[in-house]
Amino acid sequence: MDFIDNTFAVFPALLVAVPVVVQLALGAMGLALVLGLLIALARISSIRILRGVATFYLEVIRGTPLLVQLVYIFFVLPSIGVDIEPVPAGILGLGLNYAAYLSEVFRSAILSVEHGQTEAALSLGYTPTKTLWKVVIPQSFVVSMAPIGNYFIAMVKDTALTSVIAVTEILKTANILNSQTFQTTAIYTAAAILYLIISLPLSRVVVVLERKARANG
């Protein structure tokens, strides 16, 4: 009973870190969505240099661990005069990393839109750019919603990695509590439960999005 009591006793202290997790996840996902779409468009562009730059970015980001990228942004960039506070650094690191993976989601979704849709829009007098933004991309977003949801859940859990760059999120808060009380099992069990409480509703949202995507397909 002591273990259960101690686990529930540390919840209020850990809950203080939840707004930081929300700030990290929403900020990084916003950055990842915008940058990921731009990278996807560059990857399918007819301009060779754009395709090359986008492919190089993907190879660098996917070829290095997220943890290393966070450490590089927070500890290495200040040596060249770029000093970023912990939370913005966490948002930047998570956003840059997930943009690489979301770009592949967007690229696949854009390519999955039937070419007849593009031909129909062009025949109605749409320019290629207007066809892309008014016809192709809106349809591709419907296809992308479920994978984006899955990546968002993964990102929420990956916010724990920002503890290494001094962001006081749930894991960092748990580490501080543990160093003060040494109730290791109760504290980290409470942290795990808290991540589960955040992730489970998001998983249900993803299931709904998948059903809607299948219905629209």
Side-chain angles (χ1 to χ4, degrees):
M1 290 299 291
D2 286 344
F3 166 71
I4 296 175
D5 291 341
N6 291 336
T7 299
F8 280 97
V10 297
F11 265 109
L14 293 179
L15 283 173
V16 173
V18 171
V20 179
V21 172
V22 173
Q23 184 182 5
L24 285 168
L26 292 180
M29 182 53 79
L31 174 62
L33 287 172
V34 174
L35 186 58
L37 179 58
L38 293 176
I39 295 170
L41 293 176
R43 289 263 288 161
I44 60 176
S45 170
S46 58
I47 302 174
R48 187 174 180 180
I49 189 169
L50 283 181
R51 294 200 309 272
V53 171
T55 302
F56 177 76
Y57 179 85
L58 287 181
E59 294 299 330
V60 170
I61 294 296
R62 293 192 303 193
T64 53
L66 172 57
L67 184 59
V68 173
Q69 295 160 16
L70 289 168
V71 169
Y72 198 93
I73 290 170
F74 189 70
F75 292 108
V76 178
L77 291 187
S79 65
I80 58 172
V82 182
D83 200 348
I84 307 175
E85 293 296 313
V87 171
I91 291 173
L92 182 62
L94 288 166
L96 292 177
N97 182 275
Y98 275 80
Y101 296 97
L102 287 181
S103 71
E104 288 301 279
V105 173
F106 285 133
R107 189 173 71 90
S108 299
I110 290 171
L111 294 176
S112 71
V113 177
E114 292 183 10
H115 189 62
Q117 301 276 346
T118 301
E119 292 178 339
L122 292 173
S123 68
L124 291 173
Y126 281 36
T127 64
T129 302
K130 189 176 180 181
T131 301
L132 178 67
W133 289 101
K134 294 288 186 180
V135 178
V136 177
I137 288 180
Q139 293 188 57
S140 69
F141 259 111
V142 175
V143 179
S144 306
M145 289 301 289
I148 289 173
N150 283 320
Y151 275 114
F152 185 66
I153 294 171
M155 179 183 285
V156 168
K157 291 179 285 189
D158 277 348
T159 58
L161 294 175
T162 63
S163 63
V164 300
I165 59 171
V167 176
T168 313
E169 42 68 66
I170 294 173
L171 182 59
K172 181 74 172 180
T173 305
N175 290 338
I176 294 171
L177 288 173
N178 185 51
S179 66
Q180 295 171 344
T181 65
F182 301 104
Q183 295 179 354
T184 305
T185 305
I187 290 170
Y188 290 113
T189 299
I193 292 172
L194 194 51
Y195 278 113
L196 196 60
I197 291 172
I198 297 172
S199 298
L200 283 179
L202 294 174
S203 298
R204 295 305 304 165
V205 172
V206 171
V207 170
V208 172
L209 292 175
E210 288 175 340
R211 287 176 181 165
K212 286 188 175 181
R214 281 197 294 268
N216 291 328

